[in-house]
């Protein structure tokens, strides 16, 4: 008898019934070479052949893409191997206790390893790190090839060199939300990094920054 997948801490025990099948997940992934987690404005194909549903999803993404945000890389260690995923959907949540959140897709290949580790580090990217963002979003490559990093102080998760800041966390709670999970992290350590650099932003499907043209 095959084992059922473990339910993340804080998730409704009945949530498994709504999880997509492996076949449906593969149909979403297709042969894409990117594993982006850039929020509701990202450009992901809508499964199925319902024109009305496709149009509604496209409008949802187009409207949400008007919200500009920063870009982060969420990292952890899986055994002795570093893990990373590019993520736009990051936000602060609470001051007391200090909580942050990020929102991985159910199709994420990095999230199960972050979940098992129970800890992660959010790296806030600078304007010079668009290439790093793309590398951490790529599938089928060594994401950390040529990337300088050091273990974070509390969890040992990778802190990427040159980032604006990092937030070292443990997984506090996980909630199911449609085709994503809302992951709440408790901040153990927060550090400012590359002072004086501009942030890497994502707006209308493209990288931007606050620096004047």
């Amino acid at each position: 008898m095959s084992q059922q997948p473990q339910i993340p801490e804080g998730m409704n025990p009945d949530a498994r019934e709504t999880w997509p099948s492996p076949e449906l997940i593969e149909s979403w992934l297709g042969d894409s070479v990117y594993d982006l987690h850039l929020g509701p404005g990202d450009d992901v194909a809508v499964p199925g052949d319902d024109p009305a549903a496709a149009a509604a999803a496209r409008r949802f993404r187009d409207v949400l893409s008007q919200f500009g945000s920063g870009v982060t890389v969420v990292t952890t260690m899986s055994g002795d191997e570093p893990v990373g995923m590019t993520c736009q959907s990051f936000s602060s949540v609470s001051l007391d206790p200090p909580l942050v959140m990020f929102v991985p897709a159910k199709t994420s290949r990095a999230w199960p390893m972050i979940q098992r580790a129970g800890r992660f580090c959010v790296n806030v990217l600078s304007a010079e790190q668009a290439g790093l963002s793309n590398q951490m979003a790529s599938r089928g490559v060594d994401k950390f090839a040529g990337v300088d990093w050091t273990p974070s102080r509390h969890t040992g998760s990778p802190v990427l060199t040159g980032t604006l800041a990092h937030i070292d966390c443990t997984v506090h709670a996980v909630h199911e939300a449609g085709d994503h999970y809302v992951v709440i992290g408790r901040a153990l350590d927060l550090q400012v990094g590359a002072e004086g650099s501009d942030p890497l932003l994502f707006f209308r499907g493209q990288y931007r920054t606050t620096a004047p043209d």
Side-chain angles (χ1 to χ4, degrees):
M1 179 181 294
S2 62
Q3 286 187 325
Q4 293 289 340
Q6 182 180 358
I7 299 175
E9 180 183 354
M11 184 179 293
N12 187 319
D14 298 327
R16 184 184 293 115
E17 298 177 5
T18 68
W19 289 3
S21 67
E23 293 77 17
L24 184 56
I25 290 176
E26 286 302 316
S27 75
W28 289 346
L29 291 175
D31 57 359
S32 173
V33 296
Y34 288 108
D35 189 17
L36 291 168
H37 299 268
L38 294 173
D42 61 4
D43 191 15
V44 179
V46 178
D49 55 3
D50 184 342
R58 181 69 267 167
R59 177 163 178 77
F60 182 82
R61 291 169 182 151
D62 286 346
V63 171
L64 269 294
S65 73
Q66 305 304 305
F67 177 69
S69 73
V71 181
T72 72
V73 171
V74 180
T75 61
T76 195
M77 295 296 295
S78 180
D80 295 328
E81 296 297 323
V83 174
M85 57 176 271
T86 300
C87 184
Q88 175 211 13
S89 53
F90 166 76
S91 177
S92 60
V93 174
S94 167
L95 184 62
D96 185 18
L99 302 177
V100 298
M101 73 171 211
F102 72 99
V103 187
K106 288 182 177 178
T107 56
S108 168
R109 301 180 183 190
W111 162 240
M113 291 181 278
I114 297 171
Q115 175 199 336
R116 285 194 294 270
R119 57 190 183 273
F120 61 91
C121 184
V122 179
N123 294 265
V124 181
L125 300 190
S126 71
E128 294 77 25
Q129 294 179 310
L132 178 60
S133 172
N134 288 336
Q135 182 168 331
M136 288 292 170
S138 298
R139 290 193 178 118
V141 302
D142 180 359
K143 294 185 178 184
F144 283 82
V147 175
D148 292 329
W149 62 275
T150 56
S152 62
R153 184 181 305 174
H154 287 272
T155 73
S157 302
V159 176
L160 307 179
T161 301
T163 54
L164 296 181
H166 71 266
I167 304 98
D168 202 17
C169 304
T170 55
V171 175
H172 181 74
V174 180
H175 306 284
E176 187 174 31
D179 52 12
H180 284 65
Y181 298 123
V182 177
V183 181
I184 308 297
R186 181 161 188 145
L188 303 179
D189 186 41
L190 307 93
Q191 299 292 333
V192 173
E195 294 187 28
S197 297
D198 292 306
L200 182 64
L201 305 178
F202 197 75
F203 177 61
R204 293 179 180 171
Q206 296 183 353
Y207 291 123
R208 310 290 180 94
T209 186
T210 54
D213 294 334

